[in-house]
Amino acid sequence: RRLTVDPGTRAARAADELAADEHQSVFPAPRLALVPARRSADIPAALGWSGPVNHDGDVARLCAVLRSWEDRFGIRVVALGFDALLLSVAAPPADLAEAEAVAAEHFAFCPDNVMQGTGTLRTYAKELVGETTWFFWWD
């Protein structure tokens, strides 16, 4: 998969949107943090984050998935909340077929996005086509 937008540039845009209160209900007072991690995908583990504890208590597994998405889609961790995660996406799925495969990965990663959100994988996949931010929350 070839990136058409620099992941750092996409992450900066997502951070600007976050600062402009686009996700105020989940991240009411965002703060800048410098995290000693080699890769963006390793940030949750470096911080000892436990956001998805109600779904999976092993943040290393979550970071392994993030590493895969970092390599394939140019994701960057933009924000972490108590039980929420916002990623920027430099190379989002371009069509529904690709988005359906990604939607299945998202469902395994965070079922709440589908079960408490769109209700079906197909509907969720439609939202992923061209989407430059991915938001996850765990109840």
Side-chain angles (χ1 to χ4, degrees):
R1 175 165 194 98
R2 189 165 173 248
L3 298 177
T4 57
V5 175
D6 174 65
T9 300
R10 182 69 74 201
R13 282 189 208 141
D16 286 345
E17 292 168 4
L18 181 63
D21 296 332
E22 299 225 358
H23 298 279
Q24 185 176 4
S25 62
V26 179
F27 304 107
R31 304 264 191 303
L32 178 65
L34 296 176
V35 181
R38 288 188 151 204
R39 297 175 63 161
S40 175
D42 296 336
I43 289 172
L47 293 174
W49 184 63
S50 60
V53 73
N54 290 331
H55 173 65
D56 188 345
D58 187 352
V59 75
R61 274 196 290 249
L62 175 132
C63 289
V65 173
L66 292 178
R67 279 178 168 236
S68 172
W69 291 346
E70 188 176 74
D71 293 340
R72 293 183 295 142
F73 303 105
I75 67 98
R76 296 295 184 264
V77 173
V78 174
L80 290 170
F82 173 73
D83 60 356
L85 169 67
L86 179 67
L87 306 175
S88 64
V89 187
D95 58 42
L96 187 56
E98 184 181 15
E100 285 176 337
V102 175
E105 291 182 47
H106 282 206
F107 182 74
F109 184 77
C110 179
D112 291 345
N113 277 23
V114 175
M115 301 304 288
Q116 294 183 39
T118 63
T120 69
L121 276 176
R122 187 159 181 85
T123 302
Y124 183 71
K126 289 177 184 177
E127 294 180 359
L128 293 178
V129 176
E131 181 57 47
T132 59
T133 58
W134 293 345
F135 175 73
F136 301 93
W137 82 95
W138 295 265
D139 265 343

